[in-house]
Structure formats: C-alpha cells, structure tokens
Amino acid sequence: MNKLTVALLYNSKQNAPHVEGEPWDAWNELDSEKTAGQIERALRAGGHEVIAMEGDVTLPQKLSHYKIDIAFNICEGHFGGSREAQVPAILDMLRVPYTGAGVLALALALDKPMAKRVMAFHGLPTPLFQTFVTGNEPLDARLKFPLFAKPSREGSGIGVSAKSVCRNLRELREQVQFLIQEYRQPALVEEYIEGREFTLGLLGNLAWNIKAPQPDVEPEMALAGAAGNGKKARGNGNGRANKLLPQTLPTLRVFPPLEVDLSPCPEDQAGLYTSVIKSQMYDVPKYLCPAPTTKVLRNKMERLAVNAFAALECYDFARVDLRVRQDTGEPLILEVNPLAGLQEGISDIVMGAEAVGIGYTELINGILQAALRRYGLI
Ligand SMILES: Nc1ncnc2c1ncn2[C@@H]1O[C@H](COP(=O)(O)OP(=O)(O)O)[C@@H](O)[C@H]1O
Ligand SMILES: [Mg+2]
C-alpha cells in the first residue's frame, strides 16, 4: 500500500475541560497520551506518516495545514448528548475520510436507550428497560427487582457502581436521582442480569457497498474468506431477515468471546465492570479469551455481535458487551461500542484480536484498511 498521511485524532485526558463539581469519573472515556502514542507507532509501522492532533474546535484549521488522506478517529468528544459524533460530522463536512463508525452510529450507540430501541426492532435481545428523565416517572410494571441503573450516555463504566443494583423502589429512586443530577442526563434502568460477562470485538465491514445493511447474517458468513460459500442467512423469526448478497459479504471478523471474570475483584464492586475497575484495577479481573463456553453459546454470542454491528451500522471495528442470564443461559446485549478502546495489551478488543493471532500493529492497520476499502480508496 502507498504511504498515506494519516491524521490521528483523539481527545486526550490531559486536555479534559474540567468543570467544578464534576463527577470523579467524568473524563474516564478520554484517551491517554500513551494510547495515542501506541496507535501512532502502529500506523507508522504500517508505513504511514502520522500527524496526531486533539479533536477540538480548532480541528478544521489544524487539518487545513496538511494534505490528509484519511483520519484515524478515536475522539470521544467533550460536551453534548451526541459528543462522539461531533468530530466525524466535521470530517464529513471537510470531506476527510475517517476510520470507524459515522455520525449516525456514534450518536446512536452513545445513547444506550436509543440503541436498545433499534436493537429491539431488529429482534436482538437486550434487557427490558425504562428511561427516567425527571426520576419521578412511575416505574414500568414489567420491570421486576432487582433493577440496574446507569447513565444513558456514558461509557467506560462511568456512573456504574455497586449502587447501580437496586433491590427496591427506594434504592432505585435514590440512585436514579443521583445519576440524573451527577451526570446531567437521563438515567437508564434495566433488568439486572445476574450472570457471566462477555465482550466480543469485531474488525472489518459487512457489505460496505450497501448503504443500509440489515441484520441477520450468519457469523460464519461474515468471516473473512467465507463469502460466497453458498450458505444463506437464516431468518430470525421477526420477518425482517435480510439475505445479504454473497458478493457483499467479505470481511467482517468477529473475535472469540472474551469473558471478563470479575470474581477476583473487591466485593464492594459487586461483580460489576465498574468505572473503578476499568480505570484503576483493570488487571484484577481475569480475562479469558477464547472464553470457556459451549459451542452453542459462543455461536449465539457471535451471531448477536455481528447482527448488533449491522443493526447500528458500525464500521471498521466495534465491540459488543453481553451478559448471559444465569437462570436461562440466554445472552443479552448490554451495549455496542463503535469506538472500542484501543490500548495496547489492555483493551478488550485488543485481547480478542490477540486470541486469534492478530497483534496490535495488525489490528490498528486492519482498522485503517477496512476504512480505506469502505471508501473505495484501496
Ligand atoms: N442490566 C445489567 N445487569 C447487570 N449488570 C449490568 C447491566 N448493565 C450494565 N451492567 C454492568 O455494568 C457494566 C457497564 O455497563 P455497560 O452498559 O457496558 O456500560 P459502559 O458503556 O459503561 O461499558 C457492564 O459491563 C456490567 O458489568
Ligand atoms: Mg460496556
């Protein structure tokens, strides 16, 4: 491949625009200089020139000094309900191609209730839920305790703690009020899913030449090299199944499920993948990849991950978080992360890739290649 000029766009933790009284974990989603450096090195190892810059309001001016071929975007944004979509919107306006999901998928996935509505439309299982805007709304009678409360538009476990698990209406009202006031956004209340926790990384694209891919794709059909094997996608029973054409099915890889075994974590984290664990004790959980599961469960989770990727119209890479209900063994999608963390040796998708022999440099350049192919640039 030709040497490209790649703009690495990120929002650095050290540039976080702190405001007084903000929650302690407010900026946990932002990336460290170390992560940016790792991505930069990987892209250089791929033979490219890299210009790294903060994705802030001066971005258009900064970009205008260079002839950029493509941006490698990991900007989480700072403010606004759709903050992850802001830099991609600017790049679309400037007609600069970029890696990862577009404006719509980023805005959608950041808003967990909205993403759950889209997944539900496509028949994808996700915990029953209700959104609380004031906190005083009557509780939906279908929701049975224990319930789980978290912010609607955060990531990295922000706002998730032992208090997220609410055993009665009093605890729920208290936690919902806390979340609304502290994080200044609606609270999402879900059924609490007791059971094992998994996450699946994905690399590549489904049908990049189709503007609106529809779900129901066999994971094995989506794997590299499996295109055109004559298998047909099975319906998912909701009448909206769509058969993707074989020639449009080349290169989405789903990495094996990674189990996050939280049992070694302190009891006060309540078996949850909290902000504290993700930011301060990421080496305490056991990360098992490929996770020890039955083939049936693994297939189910891979199918859900691929279909969630398609339903939300993710591009190039993503990660899908699930919990498997202990009583029924049913996997449920907690959320889709179109901007999965990319810390070398640490982030879940990086571990997933390693499990199938894809090293860090290959993963980062794989994301770049997927985007270039999607834009028709290679
Ligand atoms: N409905 C739920 N039931 C049980 N645990 C949950 C539920 N939702 C979230 N969690 C726990 O909280 C963690 C973070 O929630 P998640 O929805 O993945 O948000 P984030 O964007 O912060 O990763 C999960 O990894 C899981 O441990
Ligand atoms: Mg998550």
Side-chain angles (χ1 to χ4, degrees):
M1 201 199 310
N2 291 340
K3 179 174 179 157
L4 302 173
T5 303
V6 182
L8 171 60
L9 308 181
Y10 66 111
N11 292 125
S12 170
K13 237 174 214 159
Q14 77 187 36
N15 296 336
H18 292 284
V19 289
E20 213 175 297
E22 68 191 17
W24 75 272
D25 52 359
W27 302 109
N28 276 7
E29 279 230 279
L30 303 189
D31 286 286
S32 63
E33 290 295 330
K34 189 171 167 193
T35 304
Q38 291 163 347
I39 297 174
E40 183 169 344
R41 262 193 302 285
L43 292 169
R44 284 193 207 285
H48 306 298
E49 186 187 343
V50 184
I51 298 159
M53 53 182 90
E54 175 76 26
D56 58 16
V57 288
T58 65
L59 189 60
Q61 291 92 304
K62 286 187 290 200
L63 285 174
S64 69
H65 296 124
Y66 305 95
K67 199 189 157 308
I68 302 293
D69 294 304
I70 187 164
F72 195 103
N73 173 49
I74 58 163
C75 291
E76 300 281 349
H78 293 140
F79 300 110
S82 301
R83 59 188 187 271
E84 288 181 10
Q86 291 165 350
V87 163
I90 290 172
L91 296 172
D92 281 342
M93 286 167 72
L94 297 172
R95 303 187 70 188
V96 174
Y98 54 94
T99 59
V103 171
L104 181 62
L106 289 169
L108 185 57
L110 183 63
D111 190 311
K112 290 188 172 91
M114 211 49 110
K116 284 163 70 75
R117 288 182 196 111
V118 172
M119 289 195 278
F121 174 86
H122 288 294
L124 297 171
T126 172
L128 277 179
F129 73 105
Q130 181 179 358
T131 309
F132 287 81
V133 178
T134 64
N136 301 321
E137 294 89 336
L139 179 63
D140 185 327
R142 291 171 309 157
L143 290 173
K144 306 287 179 219
F145 288 101
L147 294 172
F148 193 91
K150 57 188 172 185
S152 292
R153 302 176 193 140
E154 296 295 344
S156 305
I158 293 171
V160 170
S161 70
K163 288 201 165 157
S164 293
V165 184
C166 305
R167 313 248 160 222
N168 53 50
L169 194 58
R170 186 185 55 76
E171 287 180 10
L172 184 75
R173 291 274 179 226
E174 206 171 289
Q175 190 59 12
V176 162
Q177 278 305 340
F178 165 77
L179 291 171
I180 293 172
Q181 275 159 31
E182 188 76 357
Y183 295 92
R184 309 202 165 273
Q185 58 188 285
L188 168 58
V189 171
E190 289 182 332
E191 305 166 90
Y192 167 62
I193 309 302
E194 173 108 53
R196 295 166 70 188
E197 170 131 2
F198 298 89
T199 185
L200 285 85
L202 300 113
L203 172 65
N205 284 299
L206 286 161
W208 59 78
N209 49 349
I210 290 187
K211 278 280 176 288
Q214 294 290 311
D216 210 49
V217 182
E218 304 259 4
E220 62 269 31
M221 286 181 80
L223 292 172
N229 64 2
K231 277 197 177 178
K232 285 184 177 169
R234 268 200 304 275
N236 60 5
N238 67 2
R240 281 188 287 272
N242 180 51
K243 281 180 238 163
L244 294 180
L245 303 172
Q247 67 269 26
T248 65
L249 275 177
T251 59
L252 183 67
R253 292 197 66 163
V254 53
F255 300 145
L258 177 147
E259 179 166 11
V260 185
D261 173 2
L262 297 152
S263 60
C265 298
E267 247 172 58
D268 62 6
Q269 300 304 305
L272 306 167
Y273 207 6
T274 59
S275 199
V276 170
I277 295 176
K278 292 190 192 205
S279 64
Q280 293 162 18
M281 37 177 100
Y282 53 80
D283 50 351
V284 178
K286 274 188 266 170
Y287 300 94
L288 310 165
C289 193
T293 63
T294 60
K295 205 160 181 277
V296 172
L297 178 59
R298 176 174 168 164
N299 285 345
K300 268 192 201 165
M301 290 196 286
E302 289 182 352
R303 168 180 281 271
L304 292 182
V306 168
N307 281 284
F309 183 98
L312 267 60
E313 293 186 21
C314 294
Y315 295 142
D316 308 333
F317 75 116
R319 217 191 66 235
V320 178
D321 295 346
L322 301 106
R323 271 203 165 205
V324 174
R325 210 189 273 273
Q326 203 165 41
D327 46 0
T328 61
E330 181 200 6
L332 296 167
I333 301 173
L334 294 182
E335 59 148 356
V336 178
N337 300 281
L339 275 187
L342 290 172
Q343 282 189 71
E344 187 168 10
I346 289 178
S347 292
D348 295 341
I349 190 173
V350 176
M351 290 191 261
E354 278 166 3
V356 290
I358 298 181
Y360 187 71
T361 301
E362 203 185 331
L363 174 66
I364 298 298
N365 285 284
I367 294 170
L368 183 72
Q369 286 224 1
L372 290 168
R373 208 168 285 146
R374 178 165 55 80
Y375 281 101
L377 296 172
I378 51 172

